[in-house]
């Protein structure tokens, strides 16, 4: 009887480790910042105007199609500003624009911060993350 319990526990642990490995994020191939992308924006989707500038972004995904990015942003204003999900968009490989999950982060004037942002699940990888200032 104890052999069956031990075997069951071992199978359970193996299944949990396999599930955890599925969710692990990997860094996607880096797209150069100076690469010109010219997807049509027929729906006129733009981020809200802000004083934020994206300095760089590390784009990540997993086998489940989750899209994430570590984005370094600078508040170019001399005053305190709040970054929300409406100030950022990501461009996907099929030209779709998607906003990150809800966020609200305060920046002091001139402050630079790196944030890890979730963009949900998507079949296509992220190519860039940008603001409108």
């Amino acid at each position: 009887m104890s052999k069956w319990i031990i075997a069951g526990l071992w199978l359970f642990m193996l299944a949990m480790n396999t599930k955890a490995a599925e969710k692990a994020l990997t860094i996607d191939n880096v797209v150069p910042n100076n690469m010109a992308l010219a997807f049509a924006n027929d729906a006129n989707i733009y981020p809200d105007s802000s004083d934020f500038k994206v300095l760089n972004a590390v784009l990540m995904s997993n086998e489940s199609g989750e899209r994430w990015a570590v984005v370094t942003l600078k508040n170019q204003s001399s005053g305190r500003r709040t970054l929300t999900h409406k100030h950022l968009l990501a461009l996907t490989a099929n030209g779709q624009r998607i906003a990150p999950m809800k966020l609200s982060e305060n920046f002091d004037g001139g402050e630079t911060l790196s944030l890890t942002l979730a963009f949900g699940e998507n079949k296509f990888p992220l190519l860039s993350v940008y603001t409108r200032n």
Side-chain angles (χ1 to χ4, degrees):
M1 173 94 161
S2 65
K3 285 184 186 180
W4 292 107
I5 293 173
I6 291 172
L9 286 173
W10 183 81
L11 286 173
F12 176 74
M13 289 174 52
L14 180 62
M16 293 304 289
N17 283 339
T18 302
K19 187 71 171 169
E22 256 180 68
K23 298 284 186 180
L25 293 169
T26 58
I27 295 174
D28 296 337
N29 288 336
V30 177
V31 178
N33 285 337
N34 61 354
M35 181 180 217
L37 299 169
F39 288 104
N41 190 358
D42 296 332
N44 290 322
I45 299 171
Y46 298 98
D48 285 357
S49 293
S50 71
D51 291 316
F52 296 101
K53 178 180 181 181
V54 174
L55 300 179
N56 58 58
V58 178
L59 309 174
M60 302 173 292
S61 63
N62 64 20
E63 291 180 11
S64 299
E66 292 178 48
R67 306 296 171 202
W68 293 76
V70 175
V71 182
T72 303
L73 298 128
K74 180 173 181 143
N75 175 8
Q76 295 182 308
S77 170
S78 60
R80 187 171 176 85
R81 298 287 185 268
T82 300
L83 175 76
T84 70
H85 62 283
K86 294 179 179 182
H87 294 124
L88 292 167
L89 283 180
L91 179 66
T92 65
N94 69 339
Q96 181 183 8
R97 277 98 173 146
I98 54 176
M101 303 298 191
K102 292 205 180 243
L103 80 116
S104 180
E105 189 72 35
N106 294 319
F107 284 68
D108 289 331
E111 185 175 21
T112 300
L113 287 175
S114 293
L115 304 172
T116 303
L117 306 174
F119 287 85
E121 290 185 16
N122 198 301
K123 177 180 177 179
F124 293 92
L126 302 180
L127 298 178
S128 66
V129 178
Y130 61 96
T131 59
R132 185 170 117 196
N133 50 6

